[in-house]
Amino acid sequence: MRTGCLIARETGEFCGGSFTKEGGWDNPTYPDFDLEAQSPRAWDYAKGRSVPHGGTLASLENLLLCDPPDRENLDAYKAISEKNIFGADAETLDSLRTILEKLGGS
């Protein structure tokens, strides 16, 4: 995707598509497939619906590209940071907390 967000669809039929000029995925088998809807979301990790599994797809770095911190997911990212769900190093956590502080105004 243009944002750098990585997603996976584990089926061979999905491979027969191509990107459109608008950045969507064109595939006759899945004509209504929405790449954006398949992207990782901060709330899914904060609520335990998704868990990091050590790969690039389920990494904090990919989540930040797929669902950048904003006022709507601020609380989710705070939970991710407080629980250190991704096992991030101190420098990464400090960078994330700085972003969150700017968004939260505190």
Side-chain angles (χ1 to χ4, degrees):
M1 294 175 58
R2 289 181 179 144
T3 62
C5 172
L6 299 175
I7 63 168
R9 177 77 178 220
E10 304 295 332
T11 178
E13 294 93 5
F14 185 69
C15 297
S18 61
F19 281 102
T20 65
K21 287 191 287 187
E22 296 79 28
W25 186 251
D26 183 22
N27 181 301
T29 306
Y30 301 103
D32 297 323
F33 184 76
D34 182 0
L35 284 174
E36 296 289 329
Q38 301 298 310
S39 299
R41 299 286 177 227
W43 279 112
D44 290 335
Y45 285 99
K47 292 182 178 184
R49 291 187 295 243
S50 294
V51 294
H53 52 71
T56 303
L57 291 171
S59 67
L60 179 58
E61 293 79 9
N62 193 48
L63 179 62
L64 290 166
L65 292 169
C66 296
D67 191 19
D70 60 26
R71 294 194 185 276
E72 291 181 18
N73 61 20
L74 179 63
D75 288 337
Y77 271 107
K78 284 181 181 178
I80 289 168
S81 172
E82 289 167 5
K83 297 175 188 175
N84 196 8
I85 291 172
F86 287 90
D89 60 40
E91 184 178 347
T92 301
L93 284 176
D94 286 344
S95 295
L96 178 57
R97 290 178 182 138
T98 299
I99 293 167
L100 300 179
E101 285 173 10
K102 289 177 183 176
L103 285 171
S106 57

